[in-house]
Amino acid sequence: MPVLGRVLIIAGSDSGGGAGIQADIKTVTALGGYAATAITAVTVQNTLGVTGVHPIPLDVVAAQARAVLSDIGADAIKTGMLGDAATVELVAGLLDEANVPAVIDPVMVAKGGASLLARAAVAAVRERLVPRAALLTPNAPEAEALTGIAVATTDDLRRAGEALLAAGARAVLMKGGHVPGDRVTDLLMTPAGETIFESERIDTRHTHGTGCTLASACAVGLAQGLPLTDAVARAWAYVQEAIVRAPGLGRGHGPLDHGWPLRGRA
């Protein structure tokens, strides 16, 4: 049984419960960890899309994080929706204060297409967060935005990953869900080598929150002391099963079944 593992999640709230802070808490809990939060924004959303984004004042975001770190502590930090460059800058400072492994999910666009990161903030993510990432988890469009490399194939994904490692990330999990094909290939890349995670593409519309869920699953693994490759492998398998077992809620991009380990595989 892994140790508890404390994860501080700095991200936005999803009222629909499928992504964001809600998905993060469910994921960390399902994998045996302890989740604490600093909420950066309250979004108004369901499976059909995002209809409102309400940022939390920066001093309140900072106060939440420092309240957790000064008392409960953290073994890893996971970041999600940050919204703008000022929040990115704040979070970079918080990561330095905490001095624990950071899993950076560079959230830019919601599943339904709504922008969750100001265009001007992309450079701040590249310059301030990428070099602080123990693990960076971009999908293909996010990798394109961060590197300027067009990503249409797995080889493109690999080239973008190499650029992100060169930019200072200690490891990158390059997610291939947006790359066309019958199979989905994700690449875990470090300066020491590459591990491939591959599966048949699951034909479903219930994929809301997969990125948040995968990053949080990786973060709790690191918080519990798992080696990076083991943490990612467990996280990847957890998300695959959560997609397969999605409960079918909503009329749009539905949520995953985050709680499946609590009920077993039966």
Side-chain angles (χ1 to χ4, degrees):
M1 183 75 179
V3 297
L4 182 65
R6 303 162 297 173
V7 182
L8 171 59
I9 302 148
I10 307 176
S13 167
D14 171 3
S15 55
I21 287 282
Q22 287 81 352
D24 298 329
I25 293 172
K26 294 173 190 176
T27 298
V28 170
T29 303
L31 292 175
Y34 181 84
T37 63
I39 298 174
T40 59
V42 173
T43 69
V44 180
Q45 66 175 294
N46 54 25
T47 69
L48 298 175
V50 178
T51 55
V53 176
H54 303 276
I56 301 297
L58 288 180
D59 59 339
V60 178
V61 176
Q64 293 175 83
R66 291 183 176 127
V68 171
L69 293 170
S70 67
D71 177 33
I72 296 167
D75 301 300
I77 291 176
K78 182 261 182 178
T79 73
M81 175 189 173
L82 300 181
D84 59 26
T87 306
V88 171
E89 187 68 32
L90 170 68
V91 169
L94 291 169
L95 295 180
D96 289 344
E97 291 176 28
N99 194 31
V100 296
V103 176
I104 307 297
D105 185 17
V107 176
M108 296 181 185
V109 178
K111 188 70 70 180
S115 176
L116 300 178
L117 184 71
R119 186 167 297 179
V122 174
V125 171
R126 181 170 55 245
E127 294 163 11
R128 302 291 287 152
L129 294 187
V130 169
R132 290 170 167 79
L135 178 65
L136 184 73
T137 63
N139 60 30
E142 291 160 352
E144 285 187 0
L146 289 170
T147 66
I149 297 171
V151 178
T153 68
T154 299
D155 282 341
D156 294 339
L157 204 63
R158 184 174 286 111
R159 280 190 287 274
E162 289 168 350
L164 291 167
L165 289 174
R170 293 194 290 283
V172 292
L173 179 58
M174 307 300 292
K175 300 179 296 189
H178 289 79
V179 175
D182 294 333
R183 298 185 67 79
V184 175
T185 302
D186 294 350
L187 306 173
L188 174 61
M189 302 173 63
T190 74
E194 174 184 289
T195 304
I196 297 175
F197 297 91
E198 188 174 41
S199 72
E200 293 290 332
R201 189 177 297 273
I202 300 169
D203 184 16
T204 178
R205 62 181 171 87
H206 299 291
T207 56
H208 183 52
T210 50
C212 303
T213 300
L214 181 60
S216 285
C218 291
V220 69
L222 295 179
Q224 291 166 336
L226 294 179
L228 175 64
T229 302
D230 293 348
V232 173
R234 185 184 70 164
W236 200 85
Y238 166 77
V239 172
Q240 288 292 108
E241 187 72 12
I243 295 172
V244 169
R245 295 170 63 124
L249 302 177
R251 291 173 288 136
H253 298 287
L256 315 183
D257 180 7
H258 293 94
W260 71 262
L262 306 179
R263 295 185 296 277
R265 291 181 174 271

